[in-house]
Amino acid sequence: MVELLLIVGLAVTVFVGYNVGGSTTGPAFGPAVGSGVLSKVGAAALMSVFFFIGAGTLGRRVVDTLGRELVTRGGVFTLETSIVVLFFIGGALFVGNYYGVPASTSMTAVGAIAGLGIATGSLNWSVMGEIAVWWIVAPIIGFWVSGVIGRYFYPRINQWVAIESTDGPLLEFDRSGIVPQPTPGPDTTRREIGGAVVVVAIGCLMAFSSGTSNIANAVAPLVGAGVVDMNPMILLGSAAVAVGAFTIARRTLDTLGNDITDLPLTAAIVVAVVSSGIVVGLSAIGIPASFVIIATMSIVGLGWGRATRTVTVGEGIRGGAETNVSVGALKADDPGDEPEDIGEEDPADIPAAADLFNPSTTARIVVLQNVVPLLSTIGALVTFGLLFRFVW
C-alpha cells in the first residue's frame, strides 16, 4: 500500500513539475521567441538546462523552507497529505496553463501548504510572516530600482542595446560539412547578433532564477514527509519541468512572446535583470519568490521612472508640472537620438499605455494570477479541514 501511494506521490510530483515548466518558460524566453531570436524548441532546451542548475544549487534552501519549516508538526506532512497538497498545486497551475497564463507557482505552492498548516493548527506563522513580508517588499524593491533606472539611466542603456532588426533570418546553417555550422544571415549585423545573445542570456538567467525558487513547489511536500531524499527528487522534478517546457509551455510562450506586450528590448533586459536578481537573492535566504509579480511591478516602475524624466526634482517639489505617467513611456526613446536632460523632454512624446499592452490579455492575466493561488489555498484548507475532522 505504501509503495502504491509513493508511486502516486511521484506521479503527482511529475504533474506539478510539468505545469511549472509550462508556467515559467514563457516569462523566461517569451521575448526571445516573440522576436524570432529563438525557436520554441530551443527555448525549452535552455529552460531545462538552466532550471536544473538553479534547482540543484540555491533551490535546496527553498525546498527546506517549504518542506521542513513552514509547518511545525513533522507528522502533518505524511505521504497522504503530501499527495493532496501536490494535487492542489498541480491542479491550480494547470488552470493557469490551460488559459496560457503564467501564474505564480511559488504563491500557489505556499498557499496549498499553508492551507494544510491552518487546517491542522501546525502552520509556522513566523516563517509564513517572513515569506509574506518579502512578498510585499520584493515587488516594491523591483518597482523602485526599475524606477530609478527608468528616470536616470534608461535612455543611455537604450542607446547601448537597442537594435533594429534586418530582413531575413538572423542565422543560417552551412550544411556542407558533417556538422551544420551556424553563419549570420545575409543582412544580419554584428549589433543584431549581439542583441540576440543578450536576449537569450537574459532568458537563461531567468530560467536559473526559476529553478532556485520553483523546484520546491514540485518536490518540497514529499521531501518534507521524509519518504524520499532531496537529490533524486530534484532530478525528477527538473525532468518533469523539461517535459512541460517542450509541450504545454507553447501556450505561455505565445502569450508572453506575442499577445500581451510589445515590450522593447531595452525594457525587457532591465525588467529581467532586476526581477531575476531579486528572486535569486530571496532564494539564497530560503524565501520562495513570485517572479511574475516582481516582474510586473518592475515594468510599471520602469515606465513610471521613464515618464518622470519630463519633470525635474525641483519642479516636482514646487508642483504645477504635468507628467504623463504611463508604461507606454518605455517606447519613448529613439535609439538614434542623444538622451535629453531630465526636464527637457516633451510629455507629448510619451505614448499611451494602450500602445504597450494588449488590454484584454493583460486583464485576463491579472485575474488568473490571483485566482490560481486562491484555488490552491482554499482547496487545501477546506479539504484538510474536512479530512482531519472526519477521517484523521
Side-chain angles (χ1 to χ4, degrees), residues 192-225:
E192 192 175 4
I193 293 178
V197 171
V198 169
V199 171
V200 173
I202 293 299
C204 294
L205 172 63
M206 294 170 70
F208 172 83
S209 70
S210 176
T212 66
S213 182
N214 289 322
I215 188 62
N217 305 329
V219 308
L222 286 181
V223 172

Side-chain angles (χ1 to χ4, degrees), residues 71 73-85 88 112-123 379-392:
V71 291
R73 298 206 322 253
V76 171
F77 254 140
T78 64
L79 183 54
E80 293 85 355
T81 59
S82 298
I83 292 172
V84 177
V85 167
F88 280 111
I113 297 173
L116 166 64
I118 294 173
T120 59
S122 61
L123 182 65
L381 177 61
V382 172
T383 300
F384 285 117
L386 293 174
L387 288 176
F388 276 88
R389 181 177 181 182
F390 297 109
V391 179
W392 293 324

